[in-house]
Amino acid sequence: MKLGGIKSVENAHDDSVWAVTWVPATANRPSLLLTGSLDETVRLWRSDDLVLDRTNTGHCLGVASVAAHPLGSIAASSSLDSFVRVFDVDSNATIATLEAPPSEVWQMRFDPKGAILAVAGGGSASVKLWDTSTWEIIATLSIPRPEGPKPTDKSGSKKFVLSVAWSPDGKRLACGSMDGTISVFDVPRAKFLHHLEGHFMPVRSLVYSPYDPRLLFTASDDGNVHMYDAEGKALIGTMSGHASWVLCVDVSPDGAAIATGSSDRSVRLWDLSMRASVQTMSNHSDQVWGVAFRPPGGSDVRGGRLASVSDDKSISLYDYS
Amino acid sequence: MASVYIPVQNSEEEVGVALDQLPRDASDILDILKAEQAPLDLWLIIAREYFKQGKIDQFRQILEEGSSPEIDDYYADVRYERIAILNALGAYYSYLGKIETKQREKEEHFILATQYYNKASRIDMHEPSTWVGKGQLLLAKGEVDQASAAFKIVLDGDHDNVPALLGQACVEFNRGRYTDSLDLYKRALQVYPNCPAAVRLGIGLCRYKLGQFEKAQQAFERVLQLDPENVEALVALAIMDLRTNEATGIRKGMVKMQRAFEIYPYCAMALNYLANHFFFTGQHFLVEQLTETALAVTNHGPTKSHSYYNLARSYHSKGDYDKAGVYYMASVKEVNKPHEFVFPYYGLGQVQIKLGDFKSALSNFEKVLEVYPDNCETLKALGHIYVQLGQTDKGQDFIRKATKIDPRDAQAFLELGELLILSDTGAALDTFKTARTLFKKGGQEVPIELLNNIGVLQFERGEFELAQQTFKEALGDGIWVSFINEEKKPSIDVATSTLQFKDMQLFHDLESNGQHVEVPWDKVTVLFNLARLLEQLNESGTGSILYRLILFKYPDYIDAYLRLAAIAKARNNILLSIELVNDALKVNDKCPNALSMLGELELKNDDWVKAKETLRAASDATDGKDSYATLSLGNWNYFAAVRNEKRNPKLEATHLEKSKELYTRVLIQHSSNLYAANGAAVVLAEKGHFDVSKDVFTQVQEAASGSVFVQMPDVWINLAHVYFAQGNFTLAVKMYQNCLRKFYYNTDSQILLYLARTHYEAEQWQDCIKTLLRAIHLAPSNYTLRFDAGVAMQKFSASTLQKAKRTADEVRATVAELQNAVRVFSQLSAASNLHIHGFDEKKIDTHVGYCNHLLSAAKVHLEAAEREEQQVRQRQELARQVALAEEARRKAEEQRKFQMERRKQEDELKRVQQQEEHFKRVKEQWKSSTHSKRRERSDDEEGGTGEKKRRKGGKRRKKDKHSKSRYDTEEPENDMMDEQEMEDEETDINYREEPQTLTNDEAEENAQGLLAAAGLEDSDADEDAAAPSSSIARRRQALSESDDDEPLQRQSSLVRENSADMQLSDGEIRDGDKTNGDDASD
């Protein structure tokens, strides 16, 4: 397996690019790349030439997360002021503005069927689930407070939820927090199941394998990527190699590889059969905040694409084969 | 068989005595001899016969009887025989004296011999045989010159006196004049061709000494022909055979030597050579026996020296250095000049090195060097000694000389490299590489230590790939290969256990699977270093396995525990880390490294009191010599001084003083300790001596760049702090940014906070806010950052509103920012219900209130600004229209040139007035017209004034405000106005002036009024911000007190981590050296 650079856009945003996702193709258009930045804008790009399609404004403070509905028609973007804006991808019409104070908003993900938007709630130590038809909160998945003698200042902010991931069957949801613990929830029953131990530093990104609903990949500030059996609570493997925080992880649509972005300015491709890094891309000149494989489907089946975004204001697109 | 016949007195009869049947009791014969008054020559013959048969006592009995006074009386006229008897006795005692080893008895013998010779001389002064005897005696006594004189007396009388010739030859030989000696021997042989084999032996020896080996060999062989049992010749031939240094020669030589030994087991020379041989074949028991015999039978200095040397060597090789030393010393004592026999000096030197007596070893090796100035081994040994004595430079010189003399001596290069490590790692690496090449060329196995050292140096220079190769080469094949190589995963999945830092199950499983888990002792260090390298390459998982492999086999390897603890710590798993350190302490509860690390972990766990105790213990464990522990204590005191929010100035001062004292102590011990210097400079900065501390920081920064083991981001931050404190914001920003990029991959939110504070202080609000947003993004759970962001927004808004001149856009941006601030604060206020952030709700509410207040004020401002903007636009439009009108007027004038009518001008004026009224109507329309155009223009115009304003100082701003703003706005108009429109303009201006001043007043009033109220709050707010986060404060004073502290505090904690790493890696190198050192001294 191999990554080949296709195109890079310098100064794609006016400031650091913090979030990236692919908007799946619809009947009328191929899939698009959606990016969010500290410059308070969300931009849509046409692949493969990375032509700027549209710039969405309206957010205050930096845009920290973007998410796209699996059908490709709607998307959500959120900023540090904890507003979520849900909008129509093609018309940019605002569909809903979500907030759930005092809960903050960090990473967001639509479930595989597109019925629920999960939002990592930061210091509220919970994940909010929004119904995508009514845009009402349907559930709040709270991480149980650790039982201990002193739930004081230190442990208080530890269960700060940063990231969320859906299992491919949509039944499970995992979230990563500042203290490195990963919590797994049963979504239909809205119930906390268990923690996954192993990290002790923030887990900023995690993703389930598209084929194995038990297999979870997590990226942490400790520089390692862990592989968990999310049901069996077992750590299956560790992949080390990044020199600094691993900020983001995504799994390829074929489930054979994962890509990670790190503060060490590199994007790495890992072969899961070897559990080893097979390629390192170092075209970015600052922290890589997001990596995203293009989901399969749509008219263009020209093979896999991987996009990465970085603090250096640039976006890069790679061919994955 | 011959017999002698003793004539019976007074008769013709004789008593026949068969010489081979001499009676056992000499008295029988003596009785006969005396009774028959036999001639003295018969006495002599019989005595000599006894001697030949080895019956020494009988021999002496007869001769003593034969030289007794009664005989003298009786045979008074028989002079020659009497002399012969006396000389025989003298020779006998000379011989006894010569072979006697005990000094006292030896002298007694010599005295006796001298007495006999003197007696003989008294009988006849000129008897040559007496002189010859005397000469021999003197020779035996070692008085060569007197002996020579004695022989000369004889030779003067008789040129061809064979014994004298031989004696003289012997003298010359002893004097080292081998040619002369040879001539004398030759003459003796010519005179008396049938002389005994010994003469030929002398010739052989002379030729040997003269280097004519073939002729020497012929001579010796001739001796053996004549006397097959001649031990000396056999030994000489054997030595010559041995000298060939070939296997066959040596074997032949040894055969001869053995024969010599069988013939005469007391020849010291043969014994020595045999011993020498057995030394090389490793039969130490035989060596000792032989040499002891040799020592017992000889008192010849050089030979004894040889024997002692052999004995010493035997003990040396057995490792019994004390005994070896004694015998070397004995051997050295037997040698007059080192030139004669230098080996024992070398051996003695070696033993003295072993025993630690470097001074004596030095003098011994120097003696060796005198004899062999180019001997590499000696040069190396001397180099080694000088290093041990602390004279590294001299040591280097010697070893360098050794490498120059023999550029193929890998060992010498190895040692040179070891010396260079301390001073010049680059050169050391090159030298080591040369050594490695030499070993490889020579087909030898490259020593593991050498590869280890090369690896460590490469590691240190940041050549990680090379270092990894080198370490792998050093390790060779073994169980570890399966852990290191990703391709060959072992049967048991390694990955699963990478996180179980204490899990040894993996290895047990491997063993039960039949795989042999083995780590040779000499590879442990290399393995450790490789693991350390893997850590550096971010392969800490593999590193952890290797550390555990080491611990599995060597559970006492403390450093491995500590590294595992360090890995756990890097993953923020503090509890596990503490557990691992405690494991290390179980091995050695006094290990200062482990204690230091534990102390640091306890600090990280916020366990202050415990940490202090632990650090104390670490310091005590090393008698305060371990600078790390002292440093940590210094840091501890520094923290203690600055950590408390409610300061106790007295306590603070004592703690600061104490920390300074500790830093200074370290600096006294190690003047080049970067961390101590850094700490001392921090204390200096704390006290306000910024210039001094800046100097120190700069020096530390320079010194710290170079090695991978020394990573000191702290000093960059500290420098930036100093720049900041001195008001040099631009440099401070640069410094913070560089540090962030260089050391933290831009991931440290704390430094971002410093950066934001600098921007804040420099009134770069947008930069400040952006920086804070980045920090929030990196550290989302740090709510103080949000608070700071809110404050920055608030401050930005307030300062914009305070500005006299601002555009509606600016005000709009302000409003947006204020709304953000309100949102941030209210979020915080809501969140503080959930958590404790260190700031209370009320304060946030005050901020919310203030922001809302500003917001409402801003709305007024906004309206005013918008209104003003419109006015400006109107004026511009007006001007434009006027310009158009003028154009029209000019055209009209041109037309009127033909008419030249002045009256029409009045009409024109009227028309203009009408137009103006029309414009006023247009103006109204414009109000609702497109905004985009308007914005563009106002931007252009305001841009200029705004810029001018920004350059002004804050205080002057207010005073300038009126005149300046008026001037600015008036200028363009004035330019365009015509004199004719002055009237209008005046009214216009008045009209315009009014609202403008109003706005200004209002603004000022607002600003002052509100800010007067809020002013208190403002500073209050700042303090609030400063207290929990130490981020934002305006007063520079406050800086050195509160703001700077926490950053510094953090830094210092970083310092500790780093130095921990450094120490550990130091340990590694030390390890490597240690093994090498041992080898070298071997």
Side-chain angles (χ1 to χ4, degrees):
Chain A
M1 61 187 60
K2 198 169 159 285
L3 288 178
I6 295 178
K7 169 112 182 152
S8 269
V9 183
E10 302 298 326
N11 294 317
H13 278 272
D14 300 333
D15 215 322
S16 304
V17 193
W18 280 350
V20 62
T21 195
W22 287 90
V23 181
T26 60
N28 307 324
R29 53 158 177 79
S31 46
L32 297 168
L33 193 64
L34 189 65
T35 57
S37 156
L38 173 60
D39 69 5
E40 306 181 351
T41 64
V42 172
R43 294 188 178 180
L44 272 165
W45 310 81
R46 272 202 304 275
S47 177
D48 281 340
D49 295 321
L50 294 181
V51 179
L52 179 62
D53 208 41
R54 196 177 59 239
T55 302
N56 297 349
T57 54
H59 277 293
C60 294
L61 314 183
V63 176
S65 174
V66 288
H69 192 276
L71 295 180
S73 51
I74 59 173
S77 54
S78 72
S79 46
L80 291 185
D81 62 3
S82 298
F83 279 114
V84 179
R85 174 175 181 262
V86 183
F87 58 96
D88 185 289
V89 173
D90 296 309
S91 70
N92 192 24
T94 301
I95 295 169
T97 305
L98 313 176
E99 62 167 329
S103 182
E104 294 138 74
V105 172
W106 290 96
Q107 206 184 25
M108 309 178 292
R109 286 278 177 268
F110 284 95
D111 84 310
K113 296 190 185 66
I116 305 171
L117 175 66
V119 178
S124 66
S126 64
V127 177
K128 305 278 182 205
L129 301 184
W130 296 83
D131 187 309
T132 55
S133 49
T134 62
W135 299 109
E136 302 281 336
I137 287 183
I138 47 173
T140 297
L141 306 174
S142 290
I143 300 173
R145 310 237 110 211
E147 289 158 33
K150 44 166 194 178
T152 51
D153 46 338
K154 291 184 75 195
S155 56
S157 57
K158 273 190 172 173
K159 295 291 177 206
F160 190 104
V161 182
L162 279 175
S163 49
V164 287
W166 288 94
S167 67
D169 55 12
K171 286 179 182 158
R172 294 281 185 269
L173 183 138
C175 68
S177 48
M178 280 301 280
D179 68 351
T181 49
I182 292 143
S183 311
V184 182
F185 294 94
D186 178 340
V187 178
R189 292 189 293 151
K191 197 170 159 258
F192 168 80
L193 292 178
H194 51 253
H195 288 303
L196 302 174
E197 309 275 347
H199 290 299
F200 292 89
M201 287 169 91
V203 175
R204 292 175 194 267
S205 176
L206 67 179
V207 64
Y208 273 96
S209 159
Y211 292 117
D212 185 349
R214 297 168 67 109
L215 194 56
L216 180 71
F217 304 98
T218 59
S220 165
D221 284 3
D222 62 19
N224 297 298
V225 175
H226 284 182
M227 259 169 94
Y228 288 99
D229 174 357
E231 294 296 296
K233 291 175 67 175
L235 176 64
I236 305 170
T238 307
M239 288 171 273
S240 54
H242 277 300
S244 184
W245 303 356
V246 187
L247 299 171
C248 49
V249 57
D250 197 19
V251 62
S252 68
D254 57 12
I258 58 169
T260 53
S262 159
S263 290
D264 68 9
R265 298 159 202 157
S266 69
V267 173
R268 273 180 190 248
L269 185 70
W270 308 77
D271 186 330
L272 291 178
S273 58
M274 286 159 63
R275 286 187 192 170
S277 170
V278 287
Q279 202 174 352
T280 305
M281 311 295 286
S282 20
N283 47 322
H284 285 297
S285 59
D286 210 335
Q287 320 191 52
V288 181
W289 277 105
V291 286
F293 279 104
R294 185 172 67 187
S299 53
D300 48 358
V301 277
R302 274 171 301 175
R305 290 285 180 274
L306 175 73
S308 64
V309 296
S310 155
D311 256 355
D312 66 6
K313 307 176 192 172
S314 74
I315 304 174
S316 286
L317 187 69
Y318 317 90
D319 173 66
Y320 164 71
S321 51
Chain B
M1 191 65 220
S3 351
V4 286
Y5 299 93
I6 306 168
V8 179
Q9 208 175 14
N10 304 324
S11 86
E12 292 299 306
E13 285 171 56
E14 291 172 327
V15 179
V17 180
L19 284 179
D20 53 348
Q21 283 171 358
L22 288 174
R24 189 158 299 176
D25 189 355
S27 311
D28 297 350
I29 289 278
L30 266 178
D31 288 345
I32 299 171
L33 288 173
K34 276 188 200 164
E36 304 305 333
Q37 292 180 356
L40 281 176
D41 61 330
L42 284 181
W43 293 56
L44 204 56
I45 287 168
I46 288 167
R48 202 186 292 147
E49 195 53 42
Y50 271 119
F51 184 79
K52 272 186 190 161
Q53 291 175 14
K55 295 172 177 162
I56 306 295
D57 287 336
Q58 289 86 334
F59 157 79
R60 215 178 51 215
Q61 201 183 344
I62 290 171
L63 286 187
E64 274 167 5
E65 202 67 36
S67 60
S68 59
E70 41 191 291
I71 298 286
D72 282 350
D73 291 346
Y74 190 80
Y75 294 97
D77 53 340
V78 191
R79 293 171 60 176
Y80 178 76
E81 276 75 12
R82 272 165 57 206
I83 291 173
I85 286 175
L86 285 170
N87 280 353
L89 274 169
Y92 169 66
Y93 281 107
S94 299
Y95 168 74
L96 277 186
K98 201 169 150 190
I99 60 167
E100 181 56 64
T101 48
K102 285 172 196 149
Q103 202 57 39
R104 217 174 53 125
E105 286 158 30
K106 193 184 187 95
E107 265 163 32
E108 277 170 13
H109 289 307
F110 282 140
I111 289 165
L112 272 173
T114 317
Q115 280 171 1
Y116 284 119
Y117 282 127
N118 285 345
K119 209 170 162 191
S121 285
R122 274 201 297 277
I123 296 167
D124 180 357
M125 265 291 286
H126 303 292
E127 176 54 45
S129 59
T130 314
W131 284 112
V132 170
K134 275 190 176 173
Q136 296 285 6
L137 172 64
L138 287 166
L139 255 186
K141 284 163 83 176
E143 292 159 15
V144 181
D145 289 334
Q146 288 180 17
S148 171
F151 292 128
K152 228 178 151 217
I153 290 169
V154 181
L155 286 176
D156 284 348
D158 177 5
H159 279 291
D160 293 333
N161 185 307
V162 175
L165 278 174
L166 292 180
Q168 192 65 13
C170 194
V171 167
E172 297 297 346
F173 188 89
N174 274 345
R175 283 172 167 174
R177 300 188 196 142
Y178 303 116
T179 332
D180 295 347
S181 172
L182 185 61
D183 286 346
L184 288 165
Y185 277 125
K186 277 183 181 164
R187 227 165 81 204
L189 202 59
Q190 279 163 5
V191 173
Y192 181 50
N194 291 330
C195 69
V199 178
R200 293 176 197 276
L201 191 68
I203 290 175
L205 287 173
C206 285
R207 292 214 185 268
Y208 179 84
K209 285 284 184 190
L210 287 169
Q212 305 162 337
F213 296 121
E214 267 183 41
K215 284 192 173 165
Q217 195 166 0
Q218 283 170 5
F220 292 133
E221 273 161 9
R222 177 83 182 121
V223 174
L224 281 182
Q225 276 173 14
L226 296 172
D227 176 8
E229 305 228 319
N230 189 305
V231 174
E232 279 85 358
L234 262 176
V235 171
L237 274 174
I239 290 172
M240 289 181 76
D241 279 340
L242 289 175
R243 276 182 60 100
T244 59
N245 225 358
E246 284 162 20
T248 47
I250 290 172
R251 213 171 301 131
K252 264 162 71 185
M254 282 323 290
V255 170
K256 288 192 181 109
M257 208 58 101
Q258 234 157 337
R259 248 198 80 208
F261 176 71
E262 280 158 15
I263 295 165
Y264 180 64
Y266 302 110
C267 171
M269 188 78 89
L271 290 169
N272 276 343
Y273 273 96
L274 281 170
N276 188 31
H277 175 77
F278 287 122
F279 174 76
F280 284 113
T281 56
Q283 289 150 290
H284 293 295
F285 175 70
L286 285 173
V287 175
E288 278 158 41
Q289 278 205 327
L290 288 169
T291 42
E292 268 158 22
T293 323
L295 282 172
V297 298
T298 184
N299 56 352
H300 179 236
T303 316
K304 275 181 94 169
S305 164
H306 261 286
S307 306
Y308 281 128
Y309 173 66
N310 273 340
L311 208 52
R313 232 170 10 155
S314 169
Y315 283 116
H316 191 169
S317 72
K318 283 197 293 190
D320 188 344
Y321 298 115
D322 290 320
K323 267 194 176 163
V326 170
Y327 285 116
Y328 277 130
M329 199 74 88
S331 173
V332 165
K333 266 187 198 149
E334 296 292 339
V335 180
N336 302 323
K337 283 184 236 153
H339 293 270
E340 288 172 0
F341 188 51
V342 86
F343 298 138
Y345 288 97
Y346 190 84
L348 187 58
Q350 279 180 315
V351 170
Q352 279 162 339
I353 288 183
K354 257 288 183 256
L355 299 175
D357 184 1
F358 295 110
K359 288 254 165 66
S360 317
L362 187 65
S363 72
N364 282 320
F365 279 115
E366 268 167 355
K367 272 177 201 146
V368 178
L369 201 65
E370 274 170 33
V371 183
Y372 298 108
D374 287 346
N375 184 289
C376 285
E377 295 300 324
T378 316
L379 285 170
K380 279 192 285 181
L382 275 171
H384 184 73
I385 292 169
Y386 275 116
V387 172
Q388 294 296 325
L389 289 173
Q391 291 163 280
T392 320
D393 290 346
K394 240 175 162 179
Q396 262 182 35
D397 289 346
F398 274 108
I399 293 184
R400 193 163 285 147
K401 199 172 160 200
T403 58
K404 265 179 203 150
I405 288 165
D406 184 1
R408 279 167 305 164
D409 185 348
Q411 200 67 37
F413 277 103
L414 188 80
E415 283 179 32
L416 182 60
E418 270 160 28
L419 288 183
L420 284 169
I421 283 182
L422 298 170
S423 51
D424 181 354
T425 48
L429 185 57
D430 290 343
T431 320
F432 281 138
K433 278 180 181 163
T434 317
R436 177 170 65 175
T437 327
L438 288 172
F439 275 120
K440 278 185 183 160
K441 262 190 197 158
Q444 280 173 286
E445 204 176 316
V446 186
I448 292 174
E449 297 81 22
L450 172 61
L451 289 172
N452 182 42
N453 284 347
I454 293 178
V456 170
L457 285 174
Q458 285 168 332
F459 187 1
E460 201 166 340
R461 288 157 61 93
E463 299 163 357
F464 297 133
E465 287 300 318
L466 287 172
Q468 196 172 3
Q469 281 172 18
T470 315
F471 285 140
K472 279 182 184 167
E473 190 187 334
L475 283 174
D477 201 23
I479 187 77
W480 47 82
V481 173
S482 53
F483 300 127
I484 302 166
N485 287 359
E486 284 144 17
E487 294 79 25
K488 286 187 260 165
K489 289 275 177 199
S491 49
I492 294 162
D493 192 357
V494 173
T496 49
S497 83
T498 44
L499 282 184
Q500 274 67 55
F501 285 84
K502 302 179 75 178
D503 180 28
M504 296 293 175
Q505 192 57 40
L506 166 69
F507 307 115
H508 289 296
D509 287 354
L510 275 178
E511 275 198 332
S512 60
N513 276 11
Q515 263 166 304
H516 206 50
V517 180
E518 196 57 60
V519 182
W521 62 270
D522 55 347
K523 290 185 176 170
V524 174
T525 306
V526 187
L527 204 56
F528 182 87
N529 286 343
L530 178 61
R532 183 75 190 76
L533 176 67
L534 286 170
E535 256 187 87
Q536 192 76 24
L537 291 170
N538 308 309
E539 300 276 354
S540 54
T542 319
S544 138
I545 292 177
L546 294 185
Y547 288 134
R548 269 179 289 147
L549 177 63
I550 294 173
L551 289 177
F552 180 63
K553 280 293 165 193
Y554 303 90
D556 287 352
Y557 203 97
I558 288 185
D559 283 352
Y561 279 116
L562 293 184
R563 284 320 304 172
L564 280 175
I567 296 176
K569 198 180 122 214
R571 288 176 186 244
N572 212 16
N573 196 345
I574 305 296
L575 292 178
L576 179 61
S577 189
I578 290 180
E579 206 177 310
L580 286 161
V581 175
N582 279 328
D583 283 347
L585 286 174
K586 266 180 218 155
V587 178
N588 174 6
D589 62 351
K590 287 257 168 9
C591 173
N593 286 355
L595 283 170
S596 301
M597 187 150 182
L598 184 62
E600 194 205 322
L601 286 166
E602 281 164 352
L603 264 190
K604 205 157 185 176
N605 231 4
D606 228 13
D607 213 338
W608 283 71
V609 184
K610 233 177 166 181
K612 189 177 183 179
E613 276 169 20
T614 316
L615 290 174
R616 274 252 166 84
S619 184
D620 291 346
T622 54
D623 293 331
K625 274 179 200 141
D626 186 70
S627 31
Y628 182 82
T630 321
L631 255 184
S632 302
L633 274 175
N635 287 341
W636 192 94
N637 273 296
Y638 177 75
F639 292 178
V642 296
R643 88 184 270 258
N644 220 333
E645 281 162 37
K646 289 174 197 151
R647 299 292 183 69
N648 179 344
K650 220 170 144 190
L651 258 177
E652 187 185 326
T654 42
H655 278 310
L656 270 185
E657 229 11 82
K658 180 81 185 154
S659 66
K660 190 184 166 193
E661 180 201 319
L662 287 161
Y663 291 136
T664 322
R665 196 190 298 161
V666 176
L667 276 177
I668 289 168
Q669 281 171 357
H670 306 279
S671 54
S672 54
N673 189 313
L674 295 179
Y675 301 96
N678 185 38
V682 167
V683 177
L684 280 171
E686 198 71 29
K687 291 181 170 174
H689 308 301
F690 293 123
D691 286 326
V692 188
S693 63
K694 190 162 80 183
D695 281 353
V696 179
F697 287 137
T698 317
Q699 282 176 25
V700 173
Q701 188 190 21
E702 276 165 21
S705 55
S707 168
V708 281
F709 294 126
V710 188
Q711 295 276 345
M712 283 197 73
D714 325 292
V715 75
W716 291 62
I717 300 171
N718 286 340
L719 259 182
H721 282 325
V722 172
Y723 283 130
F724 174 79
Q726 293 184 326
N728 195 343
F729 300 129
T730 336
L731 260 180
V733 166
K734 228 176 240 166
M735 203 57 113
Y736 284 130
Q737 282 173 340
N738 283 342
C739 172
L740 202 54
R741 198 174 322 117
K742 194 167 167 181
F743 298 105
Y744 296 103
Y745 292 105
N746 288 340
T747 57
D748 194 295
S749 57
Q750 191 69 29
I751 301 177
L752 279 172
L753 183 58
Y754 303 150
L755 195 57
R757 183 185 50 163
T758 316
H759 283 311
Y760 184 93
E761 205 63 27
E763 304 193 354
Q764 296 156 333
W765 310 116
Q766 283 308 320
D767 287 338
C768 172
I769 293 166
K770 277 272 162 69
T771 311
L772 282 170
L773 287 179
R774 276 178 210 280
I776 293 170
H777 191 224
L778 284 168
S781 61
N782 187 346
Y783 285 94
T784 38
L785 291 173
R786 287 160 195 262
F787 184 89
D788 295 343
V791 171
M793 291 174 200
Q794 172 195 314
K795 186 78 179 124
F796 163 68
S797 311
S799 75
T800 318
L801 289 182
Q802 270 173 308
K803 278 206 294 198
K805 188 72 196 168
R806 70 242 149 196
T807 61
D809 267 7
E810 271 182 328
V811 180
R812 247 175 254 124
T814 306
V815 170
E817 214 61 280
L818 269 175
Q819 277 163 345
N820 281 338
V822 170
R823 183 160 172 83
V824 167
F825 283 129
S826 40
Q827 267 184 347
L828 271 178
S829 153
S832 66
N833 293 334
L834 294 167
H835 312 291
I836 301 153
H837 306 301
F839 36 76
D840 77 83
E841 235 170 298
K842 272 186 198 162
K843 272 178 193 163
I844 298 169
D845 287 342
T846 344
H847 277 282
V848 174
Y850 176 57
C851 285
N852 278 327
H853 181 65
L854 272 186
L855 203 55
S856 55
K859 274 175 191 149
V860 181
H861 283 270
L862 185 62
E863 279 162 24
E866 278 176 349
R867 203 161 55 229
E868 187 189 327
E869 207 172 44
Q870 278 179 353
Q871 284 162 6
V872 169
R873 192 164 319 289
Q874 283 165 9
R875 249 178 292 163
Q876 284 169 344
E877 188 61 19
L878 189 73
R880 198 169 66 89
Q881 296 290 351
V882 167
L884 276 174
E886 177 129 343
E887 187 86 338
R889 190 176 60 88
R890 231 179 277 147
K891 275 177 190 166
E893 228 171 314
E894 272 171 26
Q895 283 176 347
R896 267 163 230 160
K897 270 183 186 173
F898 303 104
Q899 297 171 355
M900 302 282 272
E901 284 180 26
R902 293 204 75 185
R903 198 166 49 91
K904 280 199 179 176
Q905 277 190 338
E906 286 178 10
D907 288 354
E908 187 68 34
L909 253 172
K910 273 179 196 167
R911 201 165 63 90
V912 171
Q913 275 173 342
Q914 279 173 353
Q915 269 183 339
E916 206 201 312
E917 267 174 26
H918 171 70
F919 293 154
K920 274 182 184 165
R921 255 174 278 131
V922 171
K923 223 189 292 175
E924 295 304 312
Q925 286 173 343
W926 266 103
K927 275 187 184 172
S928 54
S929 69
T930 57
H931 280 250
S932 60
K933 243 187 178 178
R934 200 196 293 176
R935 202 173 285 166
E936 268 173 29
R937 269 187 220 160
S938 68
D939 276 355
D940 286 349
E941 220 178 273
E942 291 301 317
T945 56
E947 235 170 76
K948 273 183 194 167
K949 202 147 269 170
R950 245 169 268 154
R951 281 186 221 131
K952 301 264 164 206
K955 275 187 183 170
R956 274 183 58 204
R957 199 184 294 159
K958 269 182 197 165
K959 281 186 186 169
D960 286 346
K961 216 181 283 174
H962 286 288
S963 59
K964 197 71 194 171
S965 60
R966 194 192 277 178
Y967 173 73
D968 281 348
T969 41
E970 274 174 11
E971 206 170 30
E973 285 149 29
N974 280 344
D975 285 347
M976 290 178 217
M977 289 297 169
D978 234 7
E979 312 103 286
Q980 292 165 346
E981 282 144 354
M982 277 302 266
E983 265 185 312
D984 283 316
E985 199 231 18
E986 248 171 69
T987 53
D988 228 332
I989 283 185
N990 283 342
Y991 165 68
R992 279 175 226 141
E993 196 70 15
E994 212 179 343
Q996 194 186 336
T997 32
L998 219 158
T999 333
N1000 278 346
D1001 285 348
E1002 192 192 59
E1004 215 158 317
E1005 208 175 65
N1006 250 342
Q1008 280 169 354
L1010 272 172
L1011 287 172
L1016 277 173
E1017 278 203 344
D1018 199 20
S1019 62
D1020 210 342
D1022 287 343
E1023 268 175 11
D1024 291 353
S1029 69
S1030 82
S1031 66
I1032 303 164
R1034 318 160 68 186
R1035 285 164 303 165
R1036 219 146 283 165
Q1037 279 178 312
L1039 196 144
S1040 60
E1041 285 165 16
S1042 65
D1043 292 11
D1044 225 12
D1045 296 350
E1046 249 186 286
L1048 288 173
Q1049 179 177 331
R1050 229 188 64 83
Q1051 279 142 236
S1052 323
S1053 69
L1054 279 164
V1055 169
R1056 257 187 273 118
E1057 281 168 38
N1058 287 331
S1059 42
D1061 282 349
M1062 202 186 68
Q1063 272 217 339
L1064 291 182
S1065 41
D1066 264 355
E1068 290 151 30
I1069 299 170
R1070 228 183 290 146
D1071 246 12
D1073 289 348
K1074 231 182 272 166
T1075 18
N1076 288 332
D1078 287 348
D1079 287 350
S1081 48
D1082 273 340

